[in-house]
Amino acid sequence: MYDALLGGSHNFAVDRMAAEMAIELVPDLPRLALSNRAFLRRAVRFMLDAGIRQFLDIGSGIPTAGNVHEIVHDIAPEARVLYVDIDPVAVVHSRTILAGRERADAIEADLRKSDDLIAEVRETGLIDFDEPVGLLLIAVLHLVQDADDPVGKVAALREAVAPGSFIAISHLTSEMRPEDAGKLGAHSANETRVGIQFRSRDAIVEMFEGWGMVSPGVVELPSWRPESERDQHEKPGRSLGLAGVARKE
């Protein structure tokens, strides 16, 4: 659905249908997808500027327009990127896209089983947890139910990475537009059978517990260090997403 909202080519008919139904409920939904993608680009560039040379993208789906490895390798060809997703079909497609690239790969793992995920990442040999890592949890934690302890899963990742590592999180929120969040939440439960958790700002801030927040903190997607007017896909006070970047001291 995310790829379909971005106008990408790595999606299926059922994804496009679900995306169209969601757009009927919230017409500016594609702007949210663009805003989220722009935040990802800026966060990755920020981490590269800070010296990060290995990236772990959890909940990546099928790499779509503006792939992490493309952003990374344009600036640092020697850097390494590992995509992680729960969907085996997404992983197969990702590996097809990455064929022939020695410094990028994809594996199947479940964020809800963080210890297993960390062990499987280690086994690839692509990510060295003894060196700083750029953790990317972009539009994935709202798919983790409260019962699965999303805060605890982020904490487990924090314990696994070296000091100097960064984390970027973007998350759907009910903070600014509770009615639209309610519509999309009901749609996700009824049509896609995936329960999306539109969380409050306080709940999203809690996920950064133990990390040192990078200015400007947890803010609306377009407000996190915009580089130009082109990053302003959503009007202030209208975003359905919040985001932030933090560092392990």
Side-chain angles (χ1 to χ4, degrees), residues 142-219:
H142 49 241
L143 301 175
V144 180
Q145 307 302 303
D146 289 342
D148 291 316
D149 187 20
V151 172
K153 300 303 178 280
V154 176
L157 292 169
R158 185 186 70 242
E159 291 301 313
V161 300
S165 295
F166 286 87
I167 187 170
I169 294 174
S170 67
H171 196 299
L172 291 175
T173 184
S174 55
E175 194 81 12
M176 279 74 70
R177 297 165 62 180
E179 290 186 7
D180 286 337
K183 291 177 187 177
L184 290 173
H187 170 72
S188 71
N190 295 332
E191 300 296 334
T192 69
R193 299 182 183 180
V194 177
I196 296 179
Q197 303 295 302
F198 284 78
R199 294 187 169 98
S200 68
R201 184 181 185 279
D202 287 346
I204 297 168
V205 168
E206 187 180 0
M207 295 175 181
F208 288 98
E209 184 178 351
W211 298 82
M213 290 302 306
V214 169
S215 177
V218 176
V219 295

Side-chain angles (χ1 to χ4, degrees), residues 20-21 23 88 145 227:
E20 288 167 4
M21 292 175 67
I23 291 171
Q145 307 302 303
E227 296 171 351

Side-chain angles (χ1 to χ4, degrees), residues 8 12 35 41 54 71 79 88 126 135 143 151 170 223 227 230 244:
F12 302 96
S35 193
R41 182 190 69 246
Q54 50 179 355
I71 300 168
L126 197 62
L135 286 173
L143 301 175
V151 172
S170 67
S223 298
E227 296 171 351
R230 290 180 298 176

Side-chain angles (χ1 to χ4, degrees), residues 86-181:
I86 194 174
D87 182 357
V89 175
V91 173
V92 169
H93 277 268
S94 299
R95 285 179 170 164
T96 300
I97 292 169
L98 298 170
R101 290 181 177 267
E102 295 181 358
R103 296 183 177 274
D105 200 358
I107 63 170
E108 180 185 346
D110 187 344
L111 175 58
R112 295 170 300 176
K113 302 175 182 177
S114 52
D115 290 343
D116 292 344
L117 183 152
I118 292 165
E120 290 172 35
V121 170
R122 289 186 190 277
E123 288 179 6
T124 68
L126 197 62
I127 300 296
D128 181 359
F129 283 120
D130 292 329
E131 298 293 331
V133 179
L135 286 173
L136 305 173
L137 293 172
I138 305 300
V140 64
L141 285 166
H142 49 241
L143 301 175
V144 180
Q145 307 302 303
D146 289 342
D148 291 316
D149 187 20
V151 172
K153 300 303 178 280
V154 176
L157 292 169
R158 185 186 70 242
E159 291 301 313
V161 300
S165 295
F166 286 87
I167 187 170
I169 294 174
S170 67
H171 196 299
L172 291 175
T173 184
S174 55
E175 194 81 12
M176 279 74 70
R177 297 165 62 180
E179 290 186 7
D180 286 337

Side-chain angles (χ1 to χ4, degrees), residues 5 27-36 221 232-235:
L5 289 169
D28 62 351
L29 197 58
R31 290 184 174 275
L32 171 66
L34 289 168
S35 193
N36 187 66
L221 286 165
Q232 302 301 311
H233 297 288
E234 301 171 282
K235 294 180 180 179

